[in-house]
Amino acid sequence: MSPRHRSSVVRLVTALVLLSALQDLPTAEPASASWQAEVPAALVARAKDVVDRLVSGEVEPVVGMFNDKMKAAIDAARLRGLMPGVAVQAGAFKSQTGARSEVRGAYRVVIVSCAFERSNVDVQVVFDESERIAGLS
């Protein structure tokens, strides 16, 4: 297997692991009504920072924000390989173009819209009730 092909396979497997982790998220209702009311601006800012770190390759602080399930699903080395994999398809990263948020059951999801050379990509950062990262896609 060529190094280029091996790298593509690793990126694909990493993406599938992340998607699998998201699919396994429990659907229990949050403990408090205030949790469902809105996504605080601080979480939106954290999600934007996560995207900045993914783009820069400085992923160790991101791994530190993971909940236990995410820590078991992906390590820093594999996380570092995600954005280069996106860049193969979408081109070089240009900028973040916006962010929106929503509540999904017990989770707060921030969708950070990003412009790349050839297309736009939405990065979803999922936070649990402890405000730990419970998913990325």
Side-chain angles (χ1 to χ4, degrees):
M1 181 180 311
S2 73
R4 183 179 178 117
H5 182 70
R6 184 174 302 132
S7 176
S8 294
V9 170
V10 168
R11 284 191 298 271
L12 177 61
V13 169
T14 300
L16 291 174
V17 166
L18 287 174
L19 288 174
S20 174
L22 282 175
Q23 290 175 348
D24 291 338
L25 293 175
T27 57
E29 290 301 313
S32 67
S34 65
W35 174 255
Q36 288 187 325
E38 62 184 60
V39 177
L43 280 185
V44 174
R46 280 183 57 200
K48 290 176 158 187
D49 182 59
V50 165
V51 172
D52 284 341
R53 290 178 185 278
L54 291 174
V55 169
S56 73
E58 185 189 346
V59 299
E60 288 78 7
V62 176
V63 173
M65 294 182 233
F66 283 176
N67 67 11
D68 290 340
K69 186 163 190 131
M70 282 295 291
K71 285 179 183 174
I74 189 166
D75 61 14
R78 290 175 59 198
L79 187 60
R80 196 174 291 108
L82 287 180
M83 291 311 273
V86 171
V88 167
Q89 299 295 320
F93 177 82
K94 291 169 61 177
S95 66
Q96 292 183 19
T97 59
R100 61 190 188 282
S101 60
E102 57 191 57
V103 175
R104 294 183 194 161
Y107 299 92
R108 292 175 169 171
V109 181
V110 179
I111 301 116
V112 181
S113 298
C114 301
F116 287 78
E117 281 181 329
R118 293 188 293 274
S119 65
N120 296 323
V121 175
D122 285 342
V123 178
Q124 294 186 38
V125 184
V126 181
F127 295 95
D128 65 15
E129 280 192 53
S130 301
E131 298 187 355
R132 308 291 293 168
I133 295 174
L136 284 171
S137 65

